[in-house]
């Protein structure tokens, strides 16, 4: 049975960290549109060159580019039984396009990570990202064994250009203007589950995992 989970939350709400762990527990691939764009930028593809300035400014990539990239990814065989979406949808047209694509039989479960603005700014300010493999660490919460060096691959850890304070503020504005309306969109369809994200990652993870288990009871695929 196709199971689709959407992680919805502001930048810095912990979506990426939680999505990686949940994808293992839930045995479905983690599909992050932000990671896909950064991969394209690292590899200097035509798409990467087109979207780099948009990401650096903390703005949203136009819906048609996001949808083409996302639908190509979820058409891969590993997504046939479902997937975990992180950072998508981010606008109402994206959510509607996903609904059409999935058809009436597949209703995504939307886990909404609710966090305070102070948490978001603190998390983004200390976040480090590997220039080589894209792994994410944090100066305070998951410091690298050797300063500036990725634990996973030995690459160079840097702050993401869009984690600079003024860009984080812009991303938060974009979130409240364009993405927050998705909360009521999914709430009105009975698909939204709020999870308090202002807690240690292990506690948040347990609640998210439980919510997925409740939404997709065992034995039904
Ligand atoms: P993220 O890693 O999810 O914070 O995404 C980083 C950046 O990639 C965002 O600030 C946007 O510029 C772009 N991006 C990622 N996902 C989307 C999306 N669904 N729609 C539009 N832009 C996106």
């Amino acid at each position: 049975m196709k199971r689709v989970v959407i992680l919805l939350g502001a930048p810095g709400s912990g979506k990426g960290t939680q999505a990686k762990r949940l994808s293992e527990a839930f045995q479905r691939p983690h599909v992050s549109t932000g990671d896909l764009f950064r991969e394209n930028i690292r590899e200097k593809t035509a798409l990467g060159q087109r979207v780099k300035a948009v990401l650096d400014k903390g703005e949203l990539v136009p819906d048609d580019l996001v949808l083409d990239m996302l639908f190509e990814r979820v058409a891969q065989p590993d997504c046939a039984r479902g997937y975990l979406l992180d950072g998508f949808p981010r606008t109402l047209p994206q959510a509607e396009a996903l609904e059409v694509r999935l058809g009436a039989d597949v209703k995504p479960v939307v886990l909404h990570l609710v966090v305070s603005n102070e948490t978001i700014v603190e998390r983004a300010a200390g976040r480090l990202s590997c220039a080589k493999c894209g792994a994410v660490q944090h100066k305070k919460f998951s410091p690298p064994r050797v300063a500036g060096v990725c634990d996973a691959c030995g690459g160079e850890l840097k702050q993401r250009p869009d984690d600079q304070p003024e860009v984080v503020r812009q991303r938060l504005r974009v979130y409240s203007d364009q993405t927050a309306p998705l909360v009521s969109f999914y709430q009105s369809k009975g698909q939204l589950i709020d999870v308090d994200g202002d807690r240690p990652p292990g506690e948040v993870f347990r609640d998210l995992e439980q919510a997925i288990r409740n939404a997709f009871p065992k034995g039904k695929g």
Side-chain angles (χ1 to χ4, degrees):
M1 184 186 148
K2 195 168 198 148
R3 294 172 168 182
V4 176
V5 172
I6 295 171
L7 270 181
L8 187 63
S13 60
K15 290 190 306 290
T17 307
Q18 296 294 345
K20 286 192 185 79
R21 286 185 68 184
L22 278 176
S23 139
E24 281 170 36
F26 165 61
Q27 297 180 325
R28 299 293 189 278
H30 168 207
V31 177
S32 154
T33 41
D35 282 352
L36 291 172
F37 284 129
R38 282 184 290 276
E39 210 174 285
N40 274 278
I41 291 171
R42 270 201 305 276
E43 287 168 10
K44 301 194 165 59
T45 65
L47 176 65
Q49 280 164 350
R50 211 164 148 192
V51 301
K52 184 176 185 318
V54 179
L55 266 80
D56 285 351
K57 279 190 278 188
E59 282 163 15
L60 292 187
V61 173
D63 288 336
D64 56 338
L65 293 182
V66 182
L67 289 167
D68 283 352
M69 178 184 73
L70 191 265
F71 289 158
E72 192 184 318
R73 172 65 190 92
V74 300
Q76 302 296 313
D78 65 330
C79 289
R81 292 170 56 245
Y83 38 87
L84 182 74
L85 290 171
D86 158 15
F88 179 93
R90 258 180 159 98
T91 63
L92 278 173
Q94 290 179 16
E96 283 157 1
L98 177 67
E99 208 168 50
V100 170
R101 166 91 183 197
L102 291 174
D105 293 343
V106 183
K107 291 268 168 258
V109 169
V110 184
L111 304 174
H112 176 213
L113 279 170
V114 184
V115 287
S116 64
N117 274 0
E118 297 85 84
T119 304
I120 289 170
V121 172
E122 188 188 20
R123 285 185 187 162
R127 180 154 70 171
L128 297 167
S129 176
C130 176
K132 202 164 136 199
C133 76
V136 179
Q137 298 200 229
H138 194 281
K139 280 182 197 161
K140 186 164 148 195
F141 306 123
S142 56
R145 286 191 291 271
V146 179
V149 179
C150 173
D151 282 357
C153 79
E156 187 189 356
L157 284 178
K158 288 188 185 164
Q159 187 177 49
R160 259 169 54 177
D162 58 345
D163 275 341
Q164 282 157 41
E166 64 279 19
V167 186
V168 171
R169 277 193 288 276
Q170 168 65 7
R171 287 164 65 208
L172 286 172
R173 270 195 296 273
V174 168
Y175 181 81
S176 65
D177 289 351
Q178 304 198 52
T179 308
L182 296 181
V183 170
S184 38
F185 175 81
Y186 286 120
Q187 210 161 34
S188 69
K189 293 171 183 286
Q191 288 171 242
L192 192 88
I193 302 168
D194 279 338
V195 174
D196 174 8
D198 261 334
R199 295 172 299 156
E203 278 178 40
V204 178
F205 176 74
R206 272 195 300 280
D207 281 6
L208 292 170
E209 200 188 13
Q210 189 60 49
I212 292 182
R213 245 189 262 128
N214 295 344
F216 299 119
K218 257 206 163 93
K220 292 200 177 165

